[in-house]
Amino acid sequence: MKLVKVVSIIIGVLMIVSGLYCVFNPGLTYLGIGYAIGIAMLLDAVGRIHAWWQYKREGQPDGWILAGGVISAIFGIVLIVDAAAQLSVDVFIAYMAAIWILIHAVLTIARAFRLRRIHKDYRTRIIGRNWGVKLCIGILLCIFAILSLMNPGVIMAAIGTFIGLGIIVAGANMITIATLPREQA
């Protein structure tokens, strides 16, 4: 049991160090997304081909499962081997994230004006009272999204930073759980 705690603490510390590296190098962190998707595709291929093999042994081979596995394997290999394909995926994800944020920003601004109208019409104390804060958040999101669409490096850095922060939190969580006192049975 003590070995598990020690290993968990070591892994937690390594995760925190890795997370700090990601926070201080967000562009490089983000550029690993295409590679990670390629690995996920290869893992999917292995699972599909294994499932096809199991079905075949049971006398129910399904060619669609095998075809999906082969396609996943091909795409995964291309993403892992070809830097241009990785960059294409990375840029596509950046633009999609920027568009998603822009849509969210417009909806937030519309919601702010709706809350303002509700607050004005019904003189509520709670609903709509902070419509200005929501409006400011929507405007800031809109500016961030437009900047990201003009320069995808902006959102790539933001996503890379958030990935790093997530790794830091996960590492700290692992250390915390490992150091909690256990009840003896």
Side-chain angles (χ1 to χ4, degrees), residues 101 105 109 133-147:
I101 290 171
I109 291 168
V133 173
K134 194 170 254 332
L135 178 64
C136 287
I137 290 170
I139 291 170
L140 290 173
L141 283 173
C142 196
I143 292 169
F144 177 74
I146 291 169
L147 288 174

Side-chain angles (χ1 to χ4, degrees), residues 14-29 160 164 168:
L14 290 174
M15 287 176 72
I16 290 172
V17 170
S18 300
L20 288 171
Y21 177 82
C22 293
V23 167
F24 291 117
N25 298 293
L28 290 175
T29 300
I168 291 170

Side-chain angles (χ1 to χ4, degrees), residues 122-154:
Y122 298 106
R123 305 271 185 229
T124 63
R125 289 187 172 181
I126 298 171
I127 299 176
R129 188 175 84 195
N130 295 327
W131 70 273
V133 173
K134 194 170 254 332
L135 178 64
C136 287
I137 290 170
I139 291 170
L140 290 173
L141 283 173
C142 196
I143 292 169
F144 177 74
I146 291 169
L147 288 174
S148 296
L149 287 169
M150 292 176 8
N151 180 7
V154 172

Side-chain angles (χ1 to χ4, degrees), residues 64-86:
W64 292 109
I65 293 175
L66 179 61
V70 170
I71 290 170
S72 288
I74 292 169
F75 285 175
I77 290 169
V78 167
L79 270 179
I80 289 173
V81 173
D82 187 11
Q86 289 177 19

